[in-house]
Amino acid sequence: MRSFLNMPALSLPAVRGSILAPMIGLSLAFATLQPAGAAEGVAVFSDPSKVAAIGGSITEIVYALGEEKRLVARDSTSNYPKAALDLPDVGYMRALSPEGVLSVNPTGILAVQGSGPREAVDVLKKTSIPFIEVPEHYSHEGILEKVRIVGKALGVDAKAEVLAKELDAKLTAAERRTASIKERKRVLFVLSVQGGKILAAGSDTAADGMVRLAGGVNAIEGFSGYKQLSDEAIITAGPDVILMMSNAGPPVSDDELFGNPSIASTPAGAARKLIRIDGGYLLGFGPRTADAIHDLAVSFYGAQVTD
């Protein structure tokens, strides 16, 4: 092993150069990821002229505010209104790549909470592009909060407040339509059927929030998020209605669903009661949610829903 004493002598400038050169290179590389005044924690875009919207409800809110001219890109869940489809697609909101989002040269990134993967979001937050994350709460108030945060980010607080008040009134009216119904439907939201196993929604999900707003009861209790259910759990839940998304994931036919022995053993299975609604419309929690609540409530209760 060579001793430091036997190493050839280096001049001080050479030593400085050999040490500082890679350090400078690392510093410059890190600066591109985490510049002074980095983008995390901002609430208002300093330049909202080219915004990338991540999340279908975020894109819908921007259009509802009349600020769509600011959008430079959208994610693949942003398929309403139809005009949004003309924007560049940066990928699925839960499978983003930093390169894809940054390729559209946005001046700001507006993303709904839950966008990911976490590593990609962390990288985006460390760039010089302001990144605003919009909280996702599956409730009446959660929708109004989204509207106000998006409006503030774009610098149109007054327009956002007008829209929030309008949606507040519509949501309140939609919820009141089922207020007098005594016997509430027990609803099982099925996300997917794989290998005969049912993946269903528990609490703290968009599906649970929508079922409640439409006057139903989530037939599944005791866990949050989505979980694969045992046959016994499905039979015990005893749903009156099965609710599924249309145009989302591998298709499941009515015969496949009702051919499942556990589903067939429930009141919903016996009556073959299945409701399918477009996923973005049903679970978006955005400007169209009041209409979705009304449509879902009518699907549950028919003429019992008051206008």
Side-chain angles (χ1 to χ4, degrees):
M1 191 171 170
R2 295 178 63 192
S3 166
F4 285 107
L5 295 175
N6 296 326
M7 292 177 64
L10 293 174
S11 66
L12 185 57
V15 172
R16 284 175 176 164
S18 66
I19 294 174
L20 293 179
M23 288 179 64
I24 291 169
L26 285 172
S27 297
L28 290 173
F30 187 70
T32 63
L33 287 177
Q34 196 169 8
E40 240 182 311
V42 299
V44 184
F45 292 131
S46 58
D47 178 4
S49 63
K50 295 194 299 179
V51 174
I54 310 297
S57 62
I58 303 302
T59 301
E60 287 190 36
I61 290 169
V62 174
Y63 272 86
L65 289 170
E67 297 296 320
E68 62 272 14
K69 62 183 179 295
R70 301 180 185 275
L71 293 178
V72 70
R74 49 129 189 147
D75 78 305
S76 61
T77 69
S78 299
N79 50 30
Y80 184 90
K82 189 176 179 180
L85 297 176
D86 294 332
L87 293 166
D89 183 347
V90 297
Y92 177 49
M93 61 170 282
R94 300 192 195 282
L96 300 171
S97 74
E99 297 84 358
V101 177
L102 297 177
S103 70
V104 297
N105 297 315
T107 58
I109 302 167
L110 196 54
V112 72
Q113 184 180 20
S115 299
R118 187 75 258 168
E119 296 80 7
V121 170
D122 287 344
V123 170
L124 290 170
K125 285 182 176 180
K126 290 175 183 176
T127 70
S128 60
I129 310 302
F131 187 105
I132 296 178
E133 191 168 50
V134 183
E136 179 79 285
H137 302 298
Y138 306 121
S139 64
H140 178 142
E141 287 302 323
I143 295 169
L144 307 185
E145 179 186 30
K146 271 189 192 176
V147 169
R148 292 181 174 117
I149 289 174
V150 171
K152 185 176 184 64
L154 299 178
V156 291
D157 301 68
K159 290 173 74 172
E161 196 56 40
V162 170
L163 178 59
K165 288 180 179 178
E166 177 186 319
L167 294 179
D168 186 23
K170 290 183 68 176
L171 288 163
T172 299
E175 292 169 64
R176 282 177 179 165
R177 290 188 177 105
T178 58
S180 62
I181 294 173
K182 303 299 182 186
E183 294 186 16
R184 303 280 169 163
K185 298 291 184 182
R186 293 180 60 79
V187 183
L188 176 66
F189 180 87
V190 175
L191 183 65
S192 68
V193 180
Q194 297 180 344
K197 295 297 184 181
I198 304 295
L199 186 65
S203 61
D204 302 316
T205 60
D208 178 76
M210 275 301 295
V211 166
R212 294 176 187 279
L213 287 171
V217 175
N218 190 344
I220 299 299
E221 299 176 342
F223 69 89
S224 62
Y226 292 89
K227 183 178 179 181
Q228 198 171 77
L229 301 180
S230 66
D231 292 348
E232 182 182 0
I234 294 171
I235 294 169
T236 301
D240 302 302
V241 180
I242 308 295
L243 177 61
M244 296 185 74
M245 292 186 290
S246 58
N247 308 316
V252 178
S253 69
D254 290 16
D255 289 342
E256 181 183 358
L257 178 69
F258 292 119
N260 182 292
S262 58
I263 294 290
S265 300
T266 66
R272 291 180 70 90
K273 181 63 175 177
L274 170 64
I275 299 168
R276 297 182 192 263
I277 300 180
D278 176 77
Y281 179 59
L282 177 66
L283 305 181
F285 279 82
R288 295 183 292 161
T289 296
D291 294 331
I293 291 170
H294 173 268
D295 292 350
L296 187 57
V298 170
S299 297
F300 289 164
Y301 303 112
Q304 295 183 69
V305 176
T306 58
D307 289 325

